[in-house]
Amino acid sequence: MEIRRFLLGLCTFFFLYRSLSAESTCKLKAKFNLSGYKDVEKKTVVIGGMFPVHKRIASSDGNTSRVPVSAGCEGFNLRTFRWTQTMLFAISEINERTDLLPNTDLGYVIYDSCFTISKAVEGALTYLTGQDEAVPNYRCGTGAPLAALVGAGGSDLSVATARMLGLYHFPQVSYSSTCSVLNSKFQFPTFLRTIPNDKHQSTAMAQVVLHFGWTWVGTIAADDDYGKYGIRDFKEQVEEAGVCISFSETLPKVSSPEAIQRIVQTVVESTAKIIVVFSSDVDLSPLIAELLQHNVTNRTWIASEAWVTSALINQPGVSSVLAGTLGFGVRRADIPGLQRHLLDLDPYADSITEEFWETVFNCTLDYGKAQRLAKQRAKEVNGTLSRAVRGVPDGLCTGSESLAQLNTTYSDVSQLRITYSVYKAVYAVAHALHNLEHCKQGKGPFIGNSCADITDFEPWQLMYYMKNVRFKVPNTEEEIYFEDGDIEGFYDIINWQVNSNGDVSYVTVGRYNGSAAQEDRIHIMNDSIVWNNEVLEPPRSVCSENCQPGTRKGIRQGEPVCCFDCIPCADGEISNTTNARECILCSGDYWSNEAHDTCVPKIIEFLAFGEPLGITLIVISAFGALVTIAVGVVFVVHIGTPLVKANDALLSFSLLFSLVVTFLCSIVFIGEPQRWSCMTSQVALALGFAVCLSSIMGKAAVLMLRAQALKAARARAKAAAKAAKAAAEEAASSGSPDVIVTNITNNNVNTCPNPEVDSLTCAHQRAIAALATLIQAIACTVWLIILPPYPIKNTSAQNIKIILECDEGSVVFICCIFAYDILLALLAFVFAFIARKLEDHFSEAKCMTFGMLVFFIVWISFVPAYLSTRGKFMVAVQIFAILASSFGLLTCIFLPKCYVLLIKPERNTEEMMRPRAKPRDGTSTGTSASLATAGTEVNSTIASTAIDD
């Protein structure tokens, strides 16, 4: 609205200026340099047209010291020239028809916009003014009324002209302006088009990207309304669907090699294999040329309708870059008679046709110019004029050249898409004029049911008929009607395929219909598509490959959401979908499998009877029990021998029985834990060791006390001997050498009779062992009653396993119970260690000392081994410690005795049980088997001493 007010103000300013000027009624401020076609003489209605016949305006030096001159145009475009000729053909065809505007002869005014906004504005102003000198806000010409403007080419050109034409409610019908911004009737109230709105094309492009699963694409857009709005709509839709944009570049409107080089570098460095391009062929062609020079291949291009079938892009050699391109083309049609019209041109008819002729045939129709060029070439070759120059100069067109012999974009009617849109635009204006002309008085749409006059109507009156026109296009039978100025969004999906000759052919591989239901809008024949490098599989274009089940997506900081790392799920967690954002924690008795895509039941682990380790331990336990029983049998057989009777045979049998219990209780630890087995294993182990250690302690206590008693007896005997010797010496010195002191000495020894040495009897030993065992039994009973052991499922020790084990019930109780066993072991070791010096031919105290040392070594080694293992191996370590300690005690205590009983029976006598000969230092020790003769030994020693003296 603000722009419209500005333009109205500008026009009012010109009006006031002209009214107040004293010099003349009108003062021309500028003269436009426009080229085109014009035929308005004796015409009923004039239709305007605007086509970008040239690619750009000629550059100027920018000198402001002289009168400005409207720039000319350069870069002849054969494709858009065909569009221009199509409008001329359509008008000619309509004028010849008798069923459409039979009484009306259409004229035309067509200008070249040079693909530039300034030229488009110049053409619109000139068209509205009605004369070559444009006067804003005035219609200075006379003659036939102006109907509508067909044009003005690109979207940015139409935006500029539509704003101006909208001020006067002048109809404009575009054949190639697809920009979605032109859909706003508030800004462009009189704009219509016969080409689909880019909203449809942006949606179609987005659907193709999603159809093939591409999530990482690049975009390139022209620096105009067409490119900016088209790519904006596309990006909004794909980003909403989770697609990421790798890069977004803008093509310059003016020549900029630096900008083109930068875009090429971006394309090369990007990992995106799919590139969407919203641009005209003119703006895109410099980039394609640069891509060819850099040999940028292995990319798939998504083309907009403006360049998908453009011969300006489809140049020789371009297949290495653009082969496999997918694009969207508007409806294609065959127009009978058009090709004949295109080939039947008079090169001298007007300046544009003359330039066209000179461009396609690479010659000139100007004789003087041809002669000058020939002279210049001759001088460059040999410095003299040739005979040809003196005659007909080289490079001069005859005007009779045949266009049919040329294979050019201009004469190629195989892909009439935009050309067909031009054809429809002209017919839309013609049908609107026809309806206006055939309005019946009294039934018209205007005030008082009036009708407009075909020879003198206002643009807004024609606009009414334009908005409501409905007709079928000749030959194609396509029905055309406008909804808010737009037609149906229908596209062919075109694939660039290289044929056997190496040329690119346009193959239709799908359709898009914007009017259909959402699920039926797009149809693609995947098998018909040939991708880049002639592969049949669609290319992959992702920033990061899909995260497979068993992993989750880890977003990279500062990068698009499509760029992520695939992080393996932690142990115990799974993901069973592709591109999972989070891993799922396995619950209960389940754990993740190796692939982390499924929760599987945890492995149930316990030391089973049937596995090799369990069988081995059972065999060892049974072997130990059998060996212990065998030792007991040996002792029973030799029950009456001195070795067996020494130091209480009953304690020896209780010791063997406890070892059998410890061997066999280790078997209870094997197998799936049950309530009874948990209670039995720990209690049997504690009681078994309690009996074993208390028996050893009882034996060792007796030995220790006997050793102490013997030591005291020997000390007293030595003192008595010294006293006797002293008495003998005194008697000898007094002259009485025959004095005998034997009785005195015997009396001294008898003061320590044998019962004093054996202060602990067998009953005492058995009482000690029984009391120690009873204490342990009471503790175990209380433990079993209050907090007994029970089986549990240990899921925390090892993640992947459920360990079936026994819970102690109470840590305090089990610590107390086994601490008591440790106390018994320490006491037994101390007693045996003190009694180790009781030496004779068989030293039982030393055997007990070594047995207890083995016991302690085994269980001290057991603690770190037990704490460092888990599961069934923890049970195996415990069983091994039980077996090792049991074998250690059995071997150290009973092996020497069995050796004497079985291998050396001659040593199993009372004499062998007596002490050895006294050492030279006068000290001597005894054993459990010989302490009964200690008193006799002492008496003998004293007597012999006295006799010697």
Side-chain angles (χ1 to χ4, degrees):
M1 182 63 71
E2 295 296 331
I3 296 174
R4 297 180 65 187
R5 288 177 179 174
F6 170 75
L7 292 174
L8 286 172
L10 181 65
C11 294
T12 304
F13 169 77
F14 274 105
F15 170 73
L16 293 174
Y17 180 80
R18 290 178 57 194
S19 300
L20 297 175
S21 176
E23 296 182 3
S24 61
T25 304
C26 295
K27 183 176 181 181
L28 189 63
K29 301 302 295 181
K31 187 172 183 179
F32 300 145
N33 181 17
L34 295 170
S35 60
Y37 295 92
K38 190 174 184 179
D39 183 11
V40 297
E41 296 296 330
K42 299 180 181 180
K43 301 298 181 182
T44 309
V45 180
V46 175
I47 300 178
M50 198 171 296
F51 297 89
V53 178
H54 290 85
K55 301 175 183 178
R56 56 191 170 270
I57 60 174
S59 59
S60 61
D61 56 7
N63 191 344
T64 58
S65 62
R66 59 175 181 264
V67 177
V69 178
S70 179
C73 301
E74 62 182 11
F76 200 89
N77 192 330
L78 299 180
R79 185 187 185 205
T80 53
F81 183 66
R82 183 181 68 216
W83 300 349
T84 307
Q85 292 298 320
T86 301
M87 180 174 177
L88 295 177
F89 169 76
I91 292 175
S92 175
E93 188 178 67
I94 292 169
N95 286 335
E96 293 176 359
R97 292 182 58 167
T98 57
D99 58 335
L100 182 63
L101 294 175
N103 303 318
T104 301
D105 196 12
L106 297 178
Y108 52 85
V109 175
I110 300 175
Y111 292 117
D112 179 11
S113 68
C114 299
F115 207 67
T116 308
I117 294 177
S118 60
K119 283 292 180 182
V121 172
E122 289 179 10
L125 285 173
T126 303
Y127 179 63
L128 289 173
T129 301
Q131 60 185 24
D132 292 339
E133 294 82 9
V135 181
N137 209 30
Y138 278 85
R139 169 71 175 168
C140 301
T142 59
L146 303 179
L149 178 67
V150 176
S155 293
D156 53 342
L157 276 63
S158 288
V159 167
T161 56
R163 293 189 188 279
M164 184 181 303
L165 296 174
L167 295 174
Y168 308 105
H169 301 281
F170 200 96
Q172 177 181 352
V173 185
S174 177
Y175 51 85
S176 65
S177 300
T178 59
C179 180
S180 59
V181 74
L182 288 165
N183 193 47
S184 172
K185 295 302 138 185
F186 178 76
Q187 299 184 65
F188 313 102
T190 61
F191 180 82
L192 306 99
R193 50 189 162 194
T194 55
I195 191 169
N197 188 333
D198 269 344
K199 279 189 174 295
H200 296 295
Q201 185 169 204
S202 298
T203 301
M205 285 183 168
Q207 290 294 321
V208 167
V209 169
L210 298 178
H211 174 80
F212 290 107
W214 298 322
T215 59
W216 187 237
V217 300
T219 62
I220 298 176
D223 191 14
D224 53 25
D225 292 332
Y226 171 69
K228 291 177 180 177
Y229 283 96
I231 213 68
R232 184 200 67 180
D233 293 340
F234 166 78
K235 289 166 67 175
E236 287 177 354
Q237 295 185 58
V238 295
E239 287 177 343
E240 185 178 349
V243 178
C244 296
I245 305 301
S246 172
F247 62 86
S248 188
E249 294 290 340
T250 302
L251 294 168
K253 293 296 289 184
V254 295
S255 178
S256 176
E258 296 80 9
I260 296 298
Q261 287 280 358
R262 177 180 53 80
I263 296 173
V264 170
Q265 189 66 25
T266 300
V267 172
V268 171
E269 293 177 354
S270 173
T271 57
K273 302 301 181 183
I274 307 300
I275 303 175
V276 179
V277 181
F278 248 104
S279 171
S280 66
D281 53 355
V282 175
D283 292 334
L284 181 62
S285 57
L287 175 63
I288 299 301
E290 193 67 24
L291 291 171
L292 279 171
Q293 289 186 3
H294 287 77
N295 193 29
V296 180
T297 59
N298 197 27
R299 301 292 191 278
T300 297
W301 302 79
I302 308 299
S304 63
E305 99 298 331
W307 67 274
V308 67
T309 57
S310 171
L312 184 62
I313 301 298
N314 187 9
Q315 296 291 326
V318 78
S319 60
S320 62
V321 174
L322 295 180
T325 293
L326 280 182
F328 295 85
V330 296
R331 284 185 186 271
R332 175 190 169 278
D334 294 324
I335 304 177
L338 176 61
Q339 187 172 36
R340 184 178 60 186
H341 171 83
L342 295 176
L343 299 177
D344 189 16
L345 287 184
D346 181 5
Y348 301 102
D350 52 80
S351 60
I352 292 182
T353 307
E354 181 178 340
E355 184 180 358
F356 160 74
W357 202 271
E358 293 177 346
T359 300
V360 295
F361 290 109
N362 194 23
C363 62
T364 178
L365 292 168
D366 186 348
Y367 181 85
K369 182 179 178 181
Q371 194 172 35
R372 288 193 302 271
L373 292 175
K375 289 180 179 180
Q376 183 178 354
R377 287 195 296 268
K379 288 182 179 180
E380 292 175 355
V381 175
N382 52 22
T384 61
L385 294 178
S386 65
R387 182 175 301 177
V389 174
R390 299 187 185 96
V392 178
D394 294 335
L396 179 65
C397 298
T398 63
S400 59
E401 290 84 1
S402 175
L403 290 173
Q405 296 179 355
L406 297 179
N407 184 18
T408 63
T409 305
Y410 169 76
S411 58
D412 183 9
V413 294
S414 61
Q415 293 290 331
L416 298 181
R417 298 182 185 275
I418 304 297
T419 303
Y420 178 51
S421 184
V422 173
Y423 188 73
K424 290 187 289 186
V426 176
Y427 264 90
V429 176
H431 277 277
L433 288 171
H434 182 84
N435 294 338
L436 182 148
E437 180 182 19
H438 290 80
C439 174
K440 295 181 179 180
Q441 289 296 334
K443 295 183 180 179
F446 307 117
I447 298 176
N449 296 327
S450 62
C451 295
D453 185 2
I454 189 67
T455 61
D456 186 17
F457 59 89
E458 295 297 329
W460 59 267
Q461 292 177 315
L462 179 61
M463 188 62 204
Y464 168 82
Y465 289 101
M466 289 294 302
K467 290 192 298 183
N468 295 283
V469 71
R470 195 180 192 101
F471 68 96
K472 290 185 177 181
V473 183
N475 305 308
T476 65
E477 296 301 315
E478 178 189 356
E479 188 174 24
I480 299 297
Y481 59 92
F482 297 105
E483 290 185 0
D484 293 329
D486 288 334
I487 63 170
E488 289 182 336
F490 185 89
Y491 296 93
D492 290 331
I493 301 176
I494 300 171
N495 181 216
W496 284 34
Q497 299 182 8
V498 181
N499 57 29
S500 57
N501 297 326
D503 299 327
V504 172
S505 57
Y506 307 119
V507 179
T508 300
V509 294
R511 299 280 189 276
Y512 178 83
N513 187 357
S515 303
Q518 183 69 34
E519 62 276 7
D520 298 328
R521 288 185 179 180
I522 193 167
H523 174 68
I524 301 176
M525 296 176 288
N526 294 342
D527 297 338
S528 301
I529 301 175
V530 177
W531 301 98
N532 200 0
N533 298 327
E534 297 186 357
V535 296
L536 299 179
E537 291 295 325
R540 288 186 56 78
S541 185
V542 293
C543 182
S544 300
E545 292 294 336
N546 290 333
C547 289
Q548 299 302 317
T551 61
R552 65 175 179 85
K553 293 170 64 174
I555 303 301
R556 299 174 185 170
Q557 293 295 329
E559 296 189 30
V561 295
C562 297
C563 301
F564 49 82
D565 296 317
C566 294
I567 303 173
C569 291
D571 290 339
E573 296 181 348
I574 66 162
S575 64
N576 50 16
T577 59
T578 303
N579 290 332
R581 295 188 176 273
E582 297 294 339
C583 294
I584 304 170
L585 180 65
C586 293
S587 59
D589 296 341
Y590 290 86
W591 192 251
S592 57
N593 61 353
E594 186 176 354
H596 291 273
D597 57 1
T598 304
C599 287
V600 296
K602 291 183 178 180
I603 300 172
I604 297 178
E605 181 179 274
F606 59 90
L607 186 57
F609 289 103
E611 61 180 295
L613 181 59
I615 294 173
T616 302
L617 294 175
I618 292 172
V619 170
I620 296 174
S621 300
F623 175 74
L626 291 175
V627 170
T628 306
I629 294 171
V631 171
V633 171
V634 171
F635 269 56
V636 170
V637 171
H638 299 84
I639 191 68
T641 61
L643 184 61
V644 175
K645 290 190 296 181
N647 203 6
D648 196 350
L650 184 60
L651 285 182
S652 297
F653 284 111
S654 68
L655 179 57
L656 289 171
F657 172 75
S658 66
L659 290 177
V660 172
V661 172
T662 56
F663 276 120
L664 294 180
C665 79
S666 62
I667 298 177
V668 184
F669 284 88
I670 303 174
E672 182 177 351
Q674 304 291 334
R675 190 172 186 84
W676 68 268
S677 63
C678 290
M679 297 170 63
T680 303
S681 59
Q682 298 293 348
V683 171
L685 178 63
L687 289 176
F689 275 126
V691 173
C692 176
L693 296 172
S694 62
S695 298
I696 296 174
M697 185 181 67
K699 282 175 169 286
V702 170
L703 295 177
M704 178 191 70
L705 293 176
R706 286 178 180 177
Q708 294 295 329
L710 182 58
K711 183 177 181 181
R714 287 183 185 278
R716 287 192 296 271
K718 186 175 182 180
K722 288 182 178 181
K725 184 176 181 180
E729 291 177 352
E730 184 180 357
S733 63
S734 63
S736 301
D738 296 329
V739 177
I740 303 300
V741 294
T742 304
N743 294 332
I744 299 172
T745 305
N746 287 337
N747 291 336
N748 291 337
V749 173
N750 289 334
T751 60
C752 279
N754 197 37
E756 183 183 341
V757 176
D758 237 353
S759 60
L760 288 179
T761 64
C762 292
H764 293 126
Q765 289 178 284
R766 295 166 187 173
I768 291 173
L771 180 61
T773 303
L774 180 61
I775 294 172
Q776 183 72 297
I778 293 172
C780 289
T781 302
V782 174
W783 179 29
L784 292 178
I785 294 174
I786 298 177
L787 291 170
Y790 58 91
I792 62 169
K793 293 181 178 180
N794 187 347
T795 59
S796 60
Q798 294 187 18
N799 293 328
I800 63 174
K801 296 178 180 179
I802 298 176
I803 300 174
L804 300 183
E805 60 185 14
C806 294
D807 187 277
E808 296 80 5
S810 173
V811 177
V812 175
F813 268 112
I814 195 169
C815 288
C816 292
I817 287 171
F818 285 101
Y820 180 74
D821 282 342
I822 294 172
L823 176 62
L824 295 178
L826 287 172
L827 291 174
F829 173 73
V830 171
F831 294 164
F833 183 78
I834 294 174
R836 74 190 186 283
K837 292 185 178 181
L838 290 173
E839 297 181 354
D840 59 5
H841 294 283
F842 183 82
S843 179
E844 187 177 18
K846 286 186 178 181
C847 294
M848 290 183 183
T849 302
F850 282 117
M852 294 312 300
L853 283 175
V854 172
F855 183 85
F856 281 120
I857 290 171
V858 169
W859 285 102
I860 290 173
S861 302
F862 158 76
V863 173
Y866 183 79
L867 296 177
S868 62
T869 55
R870 292 290 183 270
K872 63 182 181 181
F873 297 104
M874 181 181 289
V875 177
V877 168
Q878 188 174 3
I879 295 174
F880 175 79
I882 296 171
L883 296 177
S885 59
S886 300
F887 274 113
L889 293 173
L890 178 65
T891 302
C892 292
I893 295 176
F894 291 99
L895 181 61
K897 294 184 179 182
C898 290
Y899 176 78
V900 173
L901 293 174
L902 299 176
I903 306 301
K904 299 291 184 178
E906 64 274 10
R907 296 184 183 180
N908 190 7
T909 63
E910 288 290 343
E911 291 76 11
M912 294 303 295
M913 300 298 107
R914 292 177 181 175
R916 299 176 182 176
K918 182 180 177 182
R920 292 179 181 270
D921 60 359
T923 62
S924 179
T925 60
T927 67
S928 59
S930 59
L931 286 177
T933 61
T936 305
E937 176 188 354
V938 173
N939 292 335
S940 299
T941 303
I942 296 173
S944 61
T945 303
I947 293 172
D948 290 339
D949 290 340

